[in-house]
Amino acid sequence: MTYAKIIATGSYVPEKILNNEELASMVDTSNEWILSRTGIKERRITTDEEKTSNLAYNACLEAFKSCSIDKSEIDMIILATASPDIIIPSTGCILQTMLGISNHIPVYDLQAACSGFIYGLSSANAYIKSGKYKNILVIGADTVSKFTDYTDRNTCVLFGDGAGCAILQGTEENTGIIDCDIFADSSGIKSLNANGRLSKGKVEGYPYIKMDGQAVYKMAVKNLTQAAINIMNKNGFVEEQISWFIPHQANLRIIEAVAANLSFPMEKVIITVDKHGNTSAASVPLALDFAVKSGKIKPGDLLLLEAVGAGFTWGACLVKY
Ligand code: ACO
């Protein structure tokens, strides 16, 4: 039996920091309000020149530095993003060129909003298990600031830009991804969207994120809790066996509510939302890479990765690291 093992991780955030005080000078909000409602202190924002592909590229370089495989050994690239550089071709193809991967491997973008990285892991796991591909580069990268309305205090305090990635490799050892579940419920479209659309060269509709915060909050807590319980039960694990819970970094209150429902002590929960805000598809791989590089995650640890996002989409992934 072949398993998909995470052999390397990488991440990157843009240099420019946008903190709560600066936001308070842009909209009617305060550091105290943002911190108490979301746990976010600051977030990173791209310049006009920096695109999703630039963030993804830098994250990938980090990952290649931390493993011995060469870029030419990658046999598939899956880039999860809701903020492609351009309409066509895919940002994954742009990234392929930047990385100098010139062999004819399959490359595609995957759009599952904030759940994109978990969807990407799920896809890569299936391809590797099938035996058709051995080394798959999965990236979550987003520049949500490009479609955030910085006059709307309901949304602009929440989001940041970033990228994270993992290199998955097929192995016959019983390690790596144990299981991945992904879901969608499109009745959530009305509660969270950016519904601008291109029509004959013009953008029609409101091109920025619009959100019913309380509906999203309830959906996120319910689905993250349920997905975690399902995947642990199905695979015969109980919460004490999970070494690290790495949830989507949307909001500290959501994370704390889910951890409490699952009886995970907060010491076992990876938190980066204070520094990055909600980076959409980048959130889980950024948190994963932070936890690996800071020495929290050790080989053999059991990880529960989870995300939830627009669609609604959500998913859970159990990994033996
Ligand atoms: N600063 C000050 N006041 C604000 C701000 C702000 N940035 N944003 C909203 N308010 C106001 C509202 O206008 C409202 O005022 P009113 O009572 O006069 O109408 C008041 O604060 C309370 O608003 P609520 O929506 O009740 O505030 P709540 O406690 O629910 O917190 C929040 C809002 C943080 C958005 C919360 O609902 C939440 O966390 N939702 C989840 C959203 C999320 O994480 N989205 C990320 C994208 S989706 C994803 O990744 C899963």
Side-chain angles (χ1 to χ4, degrees), residues 27-30 33-34 37-38 114 153-155 157-159 192 211-214 216-217 219-220 248 250-251 253-254 278 308-310:
V27 290
D28 183 11
T29 190
S30 65
W33 192 97
I34 301 170
R37 297 301 218 284
T38 71
C114 303
R153 69 178 182 173
N154 290 304
T155 53
V157 301
L158 301 174
F159 297 99
L192 180 59
M211 181 186 71
D212 173 347
Q214 293 189 3
V216 172
Y217 186 98
M219 173 284 298
H248 174 45
N251 180 314
R253 288 194 307 165
I254 293 175
N278 180 350
V308 61

Side-chain angles (χ1 to χ4, degrees), residues 178 237 241-244 300-304 318-321:
I178 296 165
F237 291 104
Q241 290 169 281
I242 305 290
S243 317
W244 295 103
D301 279 356
L302 187 62
L303 314 181
L304 175 61
L318 266 179
V319 180
K320 189 168 172 205
Y321 188 74

Side-chain angles (χ1 to χ4, degrees), residues 3 33 48 50 120 125 153 165 168 193 195 197 261 319:
Y3 296 88
W33 192 97
D48 286 347
E50 280 174 306
N125 185 42
R153 69 178 182 173
C165 68
L168 302 186
N193 58 63
N195 67 16
R197 57 210 169 271
N261 287 347
V319 180

Side-chain angles (χ1 to χ4, degrees), residues 26-255:
M26 295 157 68
V27 290
D28 183 11
T29 190
S30 65
N31 176 46
E32 194 276 326
W33 192 97
I34 301 170
L35 209 48
S36 64
R37 297 301 218 284
T38 71
I40 301 168
K41 294 180 184 149
E42 60 186 42
R43 65 291 288 145
R44 301 299 182 105
I45 302 292
T46 42
T47 60
D48 286 347
E49 291 72 39
E50 280 174 306
K51 300 191 173 59
T52 298
S53 59
N54 301 110
L55 308 188
Y57 172 71
N58 284 310
C60 292
L61 291 190
E62 278 292 309
F64 282 111
K65 262 194 245 160
S66 63
C67 68
S68 58
I69 77 160
D70 187 75
K71 289 178 219 162
S72 61
E73 293 173 77
I74 294 294
D75 39 33
M76 178 182 279
I77 300 174
I78 302 172
L79 172 59
T81 187
S83 32
D85 288 8
I86 53 177
I87 299 168
I88 48 172
S90 73
T91 305
C93 281
I94 296 169
L95 176 67
Q96 182 189 16
T97 299
M98 292 167 105
L99 289 170
I101 297 177
S102 54
N103 43 2
H104 298 168
I105 59 168
V107 176
Y108 63 90
D109 284 6
L110 186 162
Q111 216 280 46
C114 303
S115 311
F117 185 73
I118 301 291
Y119 269 62
L121 288 184
S122 174
S123 306
N125 185 42
Y127 283 124
I128 288 173
K129 276 191 175 314
S130 78
K132 188 161 182 188
Y133 300 97
K134 180 150 194 222
N135 297 313
I136 304 188
L137 175 58
V138 182
I139 307 119
D142 263 314
T143 48
V144 183
S145 68
K146 313 255 189 237
F147 56 97
T148 296
D149 180 351
Y150 285 95
T151 66
D152 177 10
R153 69 178 182 173
N154 290 304
T155 53
C156 74
V157 301
L158 301 174
F159 297 99
D161 299 334
C165 68
I167 300 173
L168 302 186
Q169 184 168 68
T171 172
E172 301 311 308
E173 284 169 44
N174 187 352
T175 184
I177 295 181
I178 296 165
D179 199 4
C180 252
D181 290 330
I182 50 175
F183 308 92
D185 173 6
S186 54
S187 68
I189 291 175
K190 59 186 182 306
S191 304
L192 180 59
N193 58 63
N195 67 16
R197 57 210 169 271
L198 255 192
S199 172
K200 300 189 173 120
K202 289 194 192 123
V203 178
E204 289 183 354
Y206 183 69
Y208 300 112
I209 289 193
K210 215 167 49 189
M211 181 186 71
D212 173 347
Q214 293 189 3
V216 172
Y217 186 98
K218 285 180 197 146
M219 173 284 298
V221 173
K222 181 173 132 241
N223 289 334
L224 290 173
T225 302
Q226 200 54 56
I229 291 170
N230 283 349
I231 202 164
M232 286 192 293
N233 282 349
K234 189 158 54 113
N235 291 282
F237 291 104
V238 292
E239 53 278 6
E240 293 87 58
Q241 290 169 281
I242 305 290
S243 317
W244 295 103
F245 178 40
I246 308 175
H248 174 45
Q249 306 286 315
N251 180 314
L252 186 59
R253 288 194 307 165
I254 293 175
I255 295 172

